[in-house]
Amino acid sequence: MTQPRPSGGAAAVTRRPLLEVDHLVMHYRTKAGEVSAVDDVTFTLHEGEALGLVGESGCGKTSVAMSLLRLLPDNAEYKSGEIRLEGVDLLSLSEEQMRRRRWSDISMVFQGAMNAWNPVYKVGDQIKEAMDMHFEPRLSDDEADERIAQLFRLVGLPPEMAGRYPHEFSGGMRQRAVIAMALACDPKIIIADEPTTALDVIVQDQILEELKKIQRELGMSIIYISHDIAVIAEVTDTMGVMYAGKLVEFGPTVDIFGNPKHPYTYLLLSSTPSVTGPRRRLAPLEGEPPNLLNPPSGCRFHPRCPFATERCAVAEPPPEDIGGGHLVACYHWEQVPEFGGLTR
């Protein structure tokens, strides 16, 4: 675990807003009732910025990502809010208009590179199919082949690998090819959803370094989705911490990592061991996330929070800017102790 460092977009706060998510609410309809998966989430992604969303499994991170692309299952329903890309509300677009926006404006590196590929088609042909759907005018075969070769070189793959089938790629190579596909149509934003899942730690580090290098070279914006707070700290400029569908803390990664002020963030970091450095006692994050069919009243974290009072169970705390764009949704953030940080 390292202290976070700028990934190339540290000055993003001075740049033009590219993506604005404004009070987004999205539920899943189930036989048991409505699941409150994304509840009043608001954040802004600037040009050239790397933004991370972190939290436990089931907290709503991937639901936010799929909401941005409008690739939710049929039982999902947007209740309210806006998702504005360069001022255009994506939720107001027709399905055909949105289809044209995917991959060309906003694309995604999905979890599980093995499942991202059709096993009976060559990898290059599958990337070419994506380009055929979104490039206007359509590229010639020679132009498409040259672009795929450029993309493969960019992600550290030999261009000749484009003529091979997915089973001929290692796990790390498949993930690099997925990144190449996400880049194929020159998107303004890439969403990387757990981009290093199921890879060994050496390959994980290589993939993350590759993504940071690509972001620097192309000047694009990236949204990282991960349950691993160490990954988010390593590669992002700004981070948001999600709990039970809520964005409970948001701000510069360096600030949140070094001085977490929401009790959930503090306990999340305190329960993460360091590989080296002085030994310290871990503070376990006790309890279980709430059932989003029937979430707790008030602050959703209050049943697990060591600082909770009666007020927390009655009224939901609004986000409060505690300085420098560091927002915390907690009535008792001033009681959260100083955090010593993590070192490697």
Side-chain angles (χ1 to χ4, degrees):
M1 176 79 76
T2 61
Q3 293 291 347
R5 60 177 183 265
S7 66
V13 290
T14 65
R15 300 178 184 178
R16 183 173 68 94
L18 182 60
L19 179 74
E20 298 166 284
V21 179
D22 191 7
H23 298 287
L24 181 65
V25 179
M26 188 279 293
H27 291 183
Y28 293 113
R29 298 184 303 275
T30 71
K31 291 181 179 179
E34 288 196 345
V35 175
S36 177
V38 179
D39 197 338
D40 201 25
V41 168
T42 296
F43 64 86
T44 298
L45 174 71
H46 296 81
E47 288 182 326
E49 183 180 19
L51 183 151
L53 293 178
V54 68
E56 293 171 286
S57 296
C59 70
K61 307 181 302 293
T62 296
S63 290
V64 169
M66 301 303 276
S67 294
L68 301 181
L69 284 163
R70 281 181 48 185
L71 287 176
L72 293 165
D74 291 341
N75 69 327
E77 181 181 355
Y78 295 102
K79 292 290 188 177
S80 60
E82 293 185 346
I83 302 170
R84 296 187 297 274
L85 177 59
E86 297 183 309
V88 176
D89 183 10
L90 300 182
L91 299 184
S92 70
L93 301 181
S94 68
E95 179 52 42
E96 176 59 24
Q97 290 172 322
M98 188 63 207
R99 187 190 67 80
R100 293 180 180 277
R101 290 270 185 163
R102 294 188 198 107
W103 306 113
S104 57
D105 282 339
I106 180 168
S107 66
M108 190 163 185
V109 178
F110 292 94
Q111 285 190 56
M114 175 62 82
N115 299 328
W117 299 104
N118 187 321
V120 300
Y121 291 100
K122 295 176 181 177
V123 167
D125 290 340
Q126 295 182 58
I127 296 176
K128 190 180 296 184
E129 181 180 2
M131 292 192 297
D132 286 345
M133 292 177 64
H134 295 281
F135 267 117
E136 293 182 7
R138 183 172 172 174
L139 300 180
S140 69
D141 287 343
D142 288 343
E143 289 172 329
D145 289 341
E146 176 56 30
R147 177 157 183 78
I148 291 170
Q150 292 173 353
L151 290 168
F152 269 46
R153 284 191 287 265
L154 184 64
V155 300
L157 288 175
E160 58 269 21
M161 291 293 294
R164 298 188 182 181
Y165 292 92
H167 72 270
E168 298 179 273
F169 286 62
S170 68
M173 294 170 75
R174 280 193 297 269
Q175 193 65 10
R176 290 172 186 267
V178 168
I179 295 169
M181 176 178 272
L183 293 168
C185 299
D186 284 332
K188 299 177 178 71
I189 301 169
I190 284 184
I191 301 170
D193 187 7
E194 302 281 7
T196 57
T197 296
L199 300 176
D200 67 67
V201 291
I202 301 300
V203 177
Q204 283 183 24
D205 191 60
Q206 291 172 350
I207 295 295
L208 292 173
E209 286 297 327
E210 208 71 56
L211 282 168
K212 288 195 290 185
K213 182 192 77 173
I214 289 167
Q215 184 196 6
R216 286 194 301 268
E217 291 181 359
L218 302 183
M220 65 173 53
S221 301
I222 298 183
I223 299 175
Y224 291 91
I225 309 290
S226 182
H227 66 278
D228 188 341
I229 200 165
V231 168
I232 295 299
E234 185 77 11
V235 298
T236 64
D237 309 305
T238 306
M239 65 183 284
V241 181
M242 292 196 67
Y243 182 79
K246 295 279 188 181
L247 195 59
V248 297
E249 189 161 9
F250 186 85
T253 299
V254 171
D255 291 352
I256 294 178
F257 193 85
N259 191 28
K261 281 302 173 187
H262 194 281
Y264 174 66
T265 312
Y266 177 84
L267 290 170
L268 199 63
L269 283 165
S270 298
S271 64
T272 304
S274 293
V275 178
T276 62
R279 290 194 298 177
R280 60 186 178 83
R281 185 177 297 276
L282 299 182
L285 180 55
E286 298 179 351
E288 298 290 335
N291 181 355
L292 295 184
L293 282 167
N294 185 27
S297 60
C299 173
R300 291 187 176 180
F301 187 60
H302 85 261
R304 304 171 72 184
C305 181
F307 307 105
T309 61
E310 184 178 344
R311 181 187 186 191
C312 304
V314 175
E316 181 182 340
E320 179 180 350
D321 192 332
I322 62 173
H326 186 166
L327 284 82
V328 182
C330 178
Y331 292 123
H332 306 297
W333 63 267
E334 292 178 297
Q335 296 180 30
V336 176
E338 291 295 317
F339 185 68
L342 300 172
T343 59
R344 181 169 60 191

PDB file of all heavy atoms in Angstrom, residues 87-114:
ATOM      1  N   GLY A  87     -22.643  18.591 -21.140  1.00  0.00           N
ATOM      2  CA  GLY A  87     -23.880  19.356 -21.075  1.00  0.00           C
ATOM      3  C   GLY A  87     -25.116  18.655 -21.592  1.00  0.00           C
ATOM      4  O   GLY A  87     -26.228  19.154 -21.428  1.00  0.00           O
ATOM      5  N   VAL A  88     -24.966  17.482 -22.218  1.00  0.00           N
ATOM      6  CA  VAL A  88     -26.103  16.743 -22.771  1.00  0.00           C
ATOM      7  C   VAL A  88     -26.519  15.649 -21.787  1.00  0.00           C
ATOM      8  O   VAL A  88     -25.693  14.812 -21.404  1.00  0.00           O
ATOM      9  CB  VAL A  88     -25.760  16.117 -24.135  1.00  0.00           C
ATOM     10  CG1 VAL A  88     -26.923  15.278 -24.653  1.00  0.00           C
ATOM     11  CG2 VAL A  88     -25.383  17.196 -25.144  1.00  0.00           C
ATOM     12  N   ASP A  89     -27.779  15.650 -21.382  1.00  0.00           N
ATOM     13  CA  ASP A  89     -28.277  14.647 -20.441  1.00  0.00           C
ATOM     14  C   ASP A  89     -28.450  13.312 -21.162  1.00  0.00           C
ATOM     15  O   ASP A  89     -29.313  13.162 -22.032  1.00  0.00           O
ATOM     16  CB  ASP A  89     -29.611  15.105 -19.847  1.00  0.00           C
ATOM     17  CG  ASP A  89     -30.141  14.132 -18.795  1.00  0.00           C
ATOM     18  OD1 ASP A  89     -29.400  13.212 -18.398  1.00  0.00           O
ATOM     19  OD2 ASP A  89     -31.307  14.286 -18.388  1.00  0.00           O
ATOM     20  N   LEU A  90     -27.617  12.340 -20.818  1.00  0.00           N
ATOM     21  CA  LEU A  90     -27.670  11.034 -21.479  1.00  0.00           C
ATOM     22  C   LEU A  90     -28.995  10.324 -21.233  1.00  0.00           C
ATOM     23  O   LEU A  90     -29.419   9.499 -22.048  1.00  0.00           O
ATOM     24  CB  LEU A  90     -26.504  10.159 -21.004  1.00  0.00           C
ATOM     25  CG  LEU A  90     -25.092  10.692 -21.274  1.00  0.00           C
ATOM     26  CD1 LEU A  90     -24.046   9.688 -20.799  1.00  0.00           C
ATOM     27  CD2 LEU A  90     -24.892  11.008 -22.749  1.00  0.00           C
ATOM     28  N   LEU A  91     -29.647  10.635 -20.118  1.00  0.00           N
ATOM     29  CA  LEU A  91     -30.918   9.976 -19.820  1.00  0.00           C
ATOM     30  C   LEU A  91     -32.048  10.475 -20.716  1.00  0.00           C
ATOM     31  O   LEU A  91     -33.103   9.843 -20.798  1.00  0.00           O
ATOM     32  CB  LEU A  91     -31.294  10.193 -18.352  1.00  0.00           C
ATOM     33  CG  LEU A  91     -30.306   9.639 -17.320  1.00  0.00           C
ATOM     34  CD1 LEU A  91     -30.845   9.822 -15.915  1.00  0.00           C
ATOM     35  CD2 LEU A  91     -29.994   8.172 -17.590  1.00  0.00           C
ATOM     36  N   SER A  92     -31.840  11.603 -21.403  1.00  0.00           N
ATOM     37  CA  SER A  92     -32.866  12.148 -22.298  1.00  0.00           C
ATOM     38  C   SER A  92     -32.726  11.644 -23.726  1.00  0.00           C
ATOM     39  O   SER A  92     -33.590  11.895 -24.563  1.00  0.00           O
ATOM     40  CB  SER A  92     -32.796  13.686 -22.295  1.00  0.00           C
ATOM     41  OG  SER A  92     -31.615  14.139 -22.962  1.00  0.00           O
ATOM     42  N   LEU A  93     -31.640  10.914 -24.026  1.00  0.00           N
ATOM     43  CA  LEU A  93     -31.394  10.452 -25.392  1.00  0.00           C
ATOM     44  C   LEU A  93     -32.212   9.206 -25.710  1.00  0.00           C
ATOM     45  O   LEU A  93     -32.522   8.399 -24.827  1.00  0.00           O
ATOM     46  CB  LEU A  93     -29.908  10.143 -25.584  1.00  0.00           C
ATOM     47  CG  LEU A  93     -28.916  11.286 -25.349  1.00  0.00           C
ATOM     48  CD1 LEU A  93     -27.493  10.798 -25.611  1.00  0.00           C
ATOM     49  CD2 LEU A  93     -29.239  12.488 -26.222  1.00  0.00           C
ATOM     50  N   SER A  94     -32.534   9.040 -26.984  1.00  0.00           N
ATOM     51  CA  SER A  94     -33.168   7.798 -27.431  1.00  0.00           C
ATOM     52  C   SER A  94     -32.139   6.678 -27.369  1.00  0.00           C
ATOM     53  O   SER A  94     -30.928   6.928 -27.270  1.00  0.00           O
ATOM     54  CB  SER A  94     -33.678   7.947 -28.866  1.00  0.00           C
ATOM     55  OG  SER A  94     -32.583   8.075 -29.773  1.00  0.00           O
ATOM     56  N   GLU A  95     -32.600   5.440 -27.471  1.00  0.00           N
ATOM     57  CA  GLU A  95     -31.677   4.312 -27.421  1.00  0.00           C
ATOM     58  C   GLU A  95     -30.689   4.365 -28.583  1.00  0.00           C
ATOM     59  O   GLU A  95     -29.504   4.063 -28.423  1.00  0.00           O
ATOM     60  CB  GLU A  95     -32.443   2.992 -27.445  1.00  0.00           C
ATOM     61  CG  GLU A  95     -31.548   1.745 -27.409  1.00  0.00           C
ATOM     62  CD  GLU A  95     -30.539   1.761 -26.273  1.00  0.00           C
ATOM     63  OE1 GLU A  95     -30.902   2.152 -25.152  1.00  0.00           O
ATOM     64  OE2 GLU A  95     -29.375   1.368 -26.516  1.00  0.00           O
ATOM     65  N   GLU A  96     -31.137   4.773 -29.754  1.00  0.00           N
ATOM     66  CA  GLU A  96     -30.240   4.872 -30.908  1.00  0.00           C
ATOM     67  C   GLU A  96     -29.206   5.973 -30.696  1.00  0.00           C
ATOM     68  O   GLU A  96     -28.021   5.798 -31.016  1.00  0.00           O
ATOM     69  CB  GLU A  96     -31.052   5.148 -32.175  1.00  0.00           C
ATOM     70  CG  GLU A  96     -30.208   5.373 -33.434  1.00  0.00           C
ATOM     71  CD  GLU A  96     -29.306   4.207 -33.794  1.00  0.00           C
ATOM     72  OE1 GLU A  96     -29.616   3.056 -33.396  1.00  0.00           O
ATOM     73  OE2 GLU A  96     -28.275   4.433 -34.464  1.00  0.00           O
ATOM     74  N   GLN A  97     -29.638   7.103 -30.166  1.00  0.00           N
ATOM     75  CA  GLN A  97     -28.691   8.185 -29.873  1.00  0.00           C
ATOM     76  C   GLN A  97     -27.662   7.747 -28.835  1.00  0.00           C
ATOM     77  O   GLN A  97     -26.479   8.059 -28.955  1.00  0.00           O
ATOM     78  CB  GLN A  97     -29.447   9.416 -29.387  1.00  0.00           C
ATOM     79  CG  GLN A  97     -30.268  10.122 -30.450  1.00  0.00           C
ATOM     80  CD  GLN A  97     -31.149  11.218 -29.865  1.00  0.00           C
ATOM     81  OE1 GLN A  97     -31.711  11.076 -28.766  1.00  0.00           O
ATOM     82  NE2 GLN A  97     -31.292  12.325 -30.595  1.00  0.00           N
ATOM     83  N   MET A  98     -28.118   7.013 -27.828  1.00  0.00           N
ATOM     84  CA  MET A  98     -27.206   6.545 -26.796  1.00  0.00           C
ATOM     85  C   MET A  98     -26.254   5.500 -27.349  1.00  0.00           C
ATOM     86  O   MET A  98     -25.071   5.451 -26.976  1.00  0.00           O
ATOM     87  CB  MET A  98     -28.007   5.975 -25.621  1.00  0.00           C
ATOM     88  CG  MET A  98     -27.148   5.638 -24.404  1.00  0.00           C
ATOM     89  SD  MET A  98     -26.344   7.107 -23.716  1.00  0.00           S
ATOM     90  CE  MET A  98     -24.894   6.374 -22.968  1.00  0.00           C
ATOM     91  N   ARG A  99     -26.746   4.651 -28.249  1.00  0.00           N
ATOM     92  CA  ARG A  99     -25.877   3.632 -28.852  1.00  0.00           C
ATOM     93  C   ARG A  99     -24.711   4.282 -29.575  1.00  0.00           C
ATOM     94  O   ARG A  99     -23.572   3.778 -29.530  1.00  0.00           O
ATOM     95  CB  ARG A  99     -26.684   2.772 -29.831  1.00  0.00           C
ATOM     96  CG  ARG A  99     -25.906   1.578 -30.386  1.00  0.00           C
ATOM     97  CD  ARG A  99     -26.655   0.903 -31.513  1.00  0.00           C
ATOM     98  NE  ARG A  99     -26.741   1.771 -32.678  1.00  0.00           N
ATOM     99  CZ  ARG A  99     -25.746   1.940 -33.560  1.00  0.00           C
ATOM    100  NH1 ARG A  99     -24.584   1.333 -33.392  1.00  0.00           N
ATOM    101  NH2 ARG A  99     -25.920   2.727 -34.603  1.00  0.00           N
ATOM    102  N   ARG A 100     -24.940   5.407 -30.205  1.00  0.00           N
ATOM    103  CA  ARG A 100     -23.872   6.102 -30.905  1.00  0.00           C
ATOM    104  C   ARG A 100     -22.879   6.750 -29.942  1.00  0.00           C
ATOM    105  O   ARG A 100     -21.709   6.954 -30.295  1.00  0.00           O
ATOM    106  CB  ARG A 100     -24.472   7.166 -31.839  1.00  0.00           C
ATOM    107  CG  ARG A 100     -25.269   6.567 -32.992  1.00  0.00           C
ATOM    108  CD  ARG A 100     -25.855   7.653 -33.895  1.00  0.00           C
ATOM    109  NE  ARG A 100     -26.610   7.074 -34.985  1.00  0.00           N
ATOM    110  CZ  ARG A 100     -26.065   6.630 -36.118  1.00  0.00           C
ATOM    111  NH1 ARG A 100     -24.756   6.727 -36.306  1.00  0.00           N
ATOM    112  NH2 ARG A 100     -26.822   6.113 -37.063  1.00  0.00           N
ATOM    113  N   ARG A 101     -23.333   7.070 -28.754  1.00  0.00           N
ATOM    114  CA  ARG A 101     -22.455   7.667 -27.757  1.00  0.00           C
ATOM    115  C   ARG A 101     -21.527   6.634 -27.118  1.00  0.00           C
ATOM    116  O   ARG A 101     -20.397   6.952 -26.744  1.00  0.00           O
ATOM    117  CB  ARG A 101     -23.290   8.329 -26.652  1.00  0.00           C
ATOM    118  CG  ARG A 101     -24.018   9.582 -27.096  1.00  0.00           C
ATOM    119  CD  ARG A 101     -23.136  10.795 -26.870  1.00  0.00           C
ATOM    120  NE  ARG A 101     -23.812  12.035 -27.176  1.00  0.00           N
ATOM    121  CZ  ARG A 101     -23.393  13.221 -26.759  1.00  0.00           C
ATOM    122  NH1 ARG A 101     -22.303  13.323 -26.029  1.00  0.00           N
ATOM    123  NH2 ARG A 101     -24.044  14.315 -27.089  1.00  0.00           N
ATOM    124  N   ARG A 102     -22.033   5.392 -26.948  1.00  0.00           N
ATOM    125  CA  ARG A 102     -21.218   4.355 -26.339  1.00  0.00           C
ATOM    126  C   ARG A 102     -20.016   4.061 -27.218  1.00  0.00           C
ATOM    127  O   ARG A 102     -20.123   4.015 -28.439  1.00  0.00           O
ATOM    128  CB  ARG A 102     -22.013   3.070 -26.126  1.00  0.00           C
ATOM    129  CG  ARG A 102     -23.129   3.193 -25.116  1.00  0.00           C
ATOM    130  CD  ARG A 102     -23.752   1.844 -24.810  1.00  0.00           C
ATOM    131  NE  ARG A 102     -25.057   2.020 -24.202  1.00  0.00           N
ATOM    132  CZ  ARG A 102     -26.209   1.774 -24.816  1.00  0.00           C
ATOM    133  NH1 ARG A 102     -26.218   1.319 -26.070  1.00  0.00           N
ATOM    134  NH2 ARG A 102     -27.357   1.989 -24.200  1.00  0.00           N
ATOM    135  N   TRP A 103     -18.887   3.828 -26.598  1.00  0.00           N
ATOM    136  CA  TRP A 103     -17.610   3.523 -27.233  1.00  0.00           C
ATOM    137  C   TRP A 103     -16.995   4.734 -27.925  1.00  0.00           C
ATOM    138  O   TRP A 103     -15.804   4.926 -27.854  1.00  0.00           O
ATOM    139  CB  TRP A 103     -17.712   2.353 -28.224  1.00  0.00           C
ATOM    140  CG  TRP A 103     -18.312   1.149 -27.591  1.00  0.00           C
ATOM    141  CD1 TRP A 103     -19.518   0.582 -27.879  1.00  0.00           C
ATOM    142  CD2 TRP A 103     -17.761   0.381 -26.515  1.00  0.00           C
ATOM    143  NE1 TRP A 103     -19.754  -0.480 -27.037  1.00  0.00           N
ATOM    144  CE2 TRP A 103     -18.689  -0.631 -26.204  1.00  0.00           C
ATOM    145  CE3 TRP A 103     -16.571   0.457 -25.791  1.00  0.00           C
ATOM    146  CZ2 TRP A 103     -18.464  -1.551 -25.194  1.00  0.00           C
ATOM    147  CZ3 TRP A 103     -16.346  -0.457 -24.799  1.00  0.00           C
ATOM    148  CH2 TRP A 103     -17.286  -1.450 -24.507  1.00  0.00           C
ATOM    149  N   SER A 104     -17.796   5.582 -28.563  1.00  0.00           N
ATOM    150  CA  SER A 104     -17.212   6.754 -29.215  1.00  0.00           C
ATOM    151  C   SER A 104     -17.012   7.910 -28.231  1.00  0.00           C
ATOM    152  O   SER A 104     -16.069   8.690 -28.375  1.00  0.00           O
ATOM    153  CB  SER A 104     -18.082   7.216 -30.382  1.00  0.00           C
ATOM    154  OG  SER A 104     -19.398   7.501 -29.964  1.00  0.00           O
ATOM    155  N   ASP A 105     -17.894   8.054 -27.237  1.00  0.00           N
ATOM    156  CA  ASP A 105     -17.747   9.108 -26.224  1.00  0.00           C
ATOM    157  C   ASP A 105     -17.379   8.543 -24.853  1.00  0.00           C
ATOM    158  O   ASP A 105     -16.579   9.121 -24.127  1.00  0.00           O
ATOM    159  CB  ASP A 105     -19.047   9.905 -26.098  1.00  0.00           C
ATOM    160  CG  ASP A 105     -19.224  10.901 -27.231  1.00  0.00           C
ATOM    161  OD1 ASP A 105     -18.216  11.260 -27.865  1.00  0.00           O
ATOM    162  OD2 ASP A 105     -20.370  11.310 -27.485  1.00  0.00           O
ATOM    163  N   ILE A 106     -18.002   7.434 -24.509  1.00  0.00           N
ATOM    164  CA  ILE A 106     -17.768   6.831 -23.195  1.00  0.00           C
ATOM    165  C   ILE A 106     -17.763   5.314 -23.366  1.00  0.00           C
ATOM    166  O   ILE A 106     -18.686   4.744 -23.942  1.00  0.00           O
ATOM    167  CB  ILE A 106     -18.852   7.297 -22.186  1.00  0.00           C
ATOM    168  CG1 ILE A 106     -18.633   6.692 -20.810  1.00  0.00           C
ATOM    169  CG2 ILE A 106     -20.251   7.038 -22.682  1.00  0.00           C
ATOM    170  CD1 ILE A 106     -19.498   7.342 -19.718  1.00  0.00           C
ATOM    171  N   SER A 107     -16.686   4.675 -22.933  1.00  0.00           N
ATOM    172  CA  SER A 107     -16.552   3.229 -23.114  1.00  0.00           C
ATOM    173  C   SER A 107     -16.167   2.585 -21.789  1.00  0.00           C
ATOM    174  O   SER A 107     -15.945   3.277 -20.792  1.00  0.00           O
ATOM    175  CB  SER A 107     -15.518   2.899 -24.192  1.00  0.00           C
ATOM    176  OG  SER A 107     -14.225   3.299 -23.790  1.00  0.00           O
ATOM    177  N   MET A 108     -16.056   1.268 -21.804  1.00  0.00           N
ATOM    178  CA  MET A 108     -15.890   0.558 -20.531  1.00  0.00           C
ATOM    179  C   MET A 108     -14.951  -0.627 -20.673  1.00  0.00           C
ATOM    180  O   MET A 108     -14.980  -1.355 -21.665  1.00  0.00           O
ATOM    181  CB  MET A 108     -17.254   0.081 -20.032  1.00  0.00           C
ATOM    182  CG  MET A 108     -17.240  -0.463 -18.610  1.00  0.00           C
ATOM    183  SD  MET A 108     -18.934  -0.528 -17.956  1.00  0.00           S
ATOM    184  CE  MET A 108     -18.616  -1.038 -16.276  1.00  0.00           C
ATOM    185  N   VAL A 109     -14.094  -0.782 -19.682  1.00  0.00           N
ATOM    186  CA  VAL A 109     -13.297  -1.993 -19.505  1.00  0.00           C
ATOM    187  C   VAL A 109     -14.032  -2.828 -18.478  1.00  0.00           C
ATOM    188  O   VAL A 109     -14.065  -2.495 -17.289  1.00  0.00           O
ATOM    189  CB  VAL A 109     -11.874  -1.657 -19.015  1.00  0.00           C
ATOM    190  CG1 VAL A 109     -11.080  -2.940 -18.779  1.00  0.00           C
ATOM    191  CG2 VAL A 109     -11.158  -0.761 -20.018  1.00  0.00           C
ATOM    192  N   PHE A 110     -14.664  -3.912 -18.937  1.00  0.00           N
ATOM    193  CA  PHE A 110     -15.524  -4.710 -18.070  1.00  0.00           C
ATOM    194  C   PHE A 110     -14.715  -5.647 -17.184  1.00  0.00           C
ATOM    195  O   PHE A 110     -13.569  -5.994 -17.484  1.00  0.00           O
ATOM    196  CB  PHE A 110     -16.515  -5.528 -18.898  1.00  0.00           C
ATOM    197  CG  PHE A 110     -17.544  -4.708 -19.612  1.00  0.00           C
ATOM    198  CD1 PHE A 110     -17.344  -4.302 -20.920  1.00  0.00           C
ATOM    199  CD2 PHE A 110     -18.704  -4.315 -18.971  1.00  0.00           C
ATOM    200  CE1 PHE A 110     -18.290  -3.538 -21.582  1.00  0.00           C
ATOM    201  CE2 PHE A 110     -19.657  -3.552 -19.622  1.00  0.00           C
ATOM    202  CZ  PHE A 110     -19.446  -3.168 -20.935  1.00  0.00           C
ATOM    203  N   GLN A 111     -15.349  -6.072 -16.089  1.00  0.00           N
ATOM    204  CA  GLN A 111     -14.769  -7.097 -15.238  1.00  0.00           C
ATOM    205  C   GLN A 111     -14.661  -8.400 -16.013  1.00  0.00           C
ATOM    206  O   GLN A 111     -15.501  -8.726 -16.829  1.00  0.00           O
ATOM    207  CB  GLN A 111     -15.663  -7.367 -14.025  1.00  0.00           C
ATOM    208  CG  GLN A 111     -15.640  -6.319 -12.957  1.00  0.00           C
ATOM    209  CD  GLN A 111     -16.361  -6.801 -11.708  1.00  0.00           C
ATOM    210  OE1 GLN A 111     -16.036  -7.839 -11.146  1.00  0.00           O
ATOM    211  NE2 GLN A 111     -17.351  -6.044 -11.271  1.00  0.00           N
ATOM    212  N   GLY A 112     -13.599  -9.177 -15.735  1.00  0.00           N
ATOM    213  CA  GLY A 112     -13.512 -10.523 -16.281  1.00  0.00           C
ATOM    214  C   GLY A 112     -13.207 -10.536 -17.765  1.00  0.00           C
ATOM    215  O   GLY A 112     -14.105 -10.661 -18.590  1.00  0.00           O
ATOM    216  N   ALA A 113     -11.922 -10.402 -18.118  1.00  0.00           N
ATOM    217  CA  ALA A 113     -11.546 -10.327 -19.532  1.00  0.00           C
ATOM    218  C   ALA A 113     -11.938 -11.589 -20.302  1.00  0.00           C
ATOM    219  O   ALA A 113     -12.246 -11.525 -21.490  1.00  0.00           O
ATOM    220  CB  ALA A 113     -10.038 -10.098 -19.651  1.00  0.00           C
ATOM    221  N   MET A 114     -11.942 -12.746 -19.647  1.00  0.00           N
ATOM    222  CA  MET A 114     -12.294 -13.987 -20.342  1.00  0.00           C
ATOM    223  C   MET A 114     -13.705 -13.911 -20.906  1.00  0.00           C
ATOM    224  O   MET A 114     -13.974 -14.342 -22.030  1.00  0.00           O
ATOM    225  CB  MET A 114     -12.171 -15.180 -19.376  1.00  0.00           C
ATOM    226  CG  MET A 114     -12.636 -16.511 -19.971  1.00  0.00           C
ATOM    227  SD  MET A 114     -11.676 -17.020 -21.414  1.00  0.00           S
ATOM    228  CE  MET A 114     -10.272 -17.762 -20.598  1.00  0.00           C
TER     229      MET A 114
END
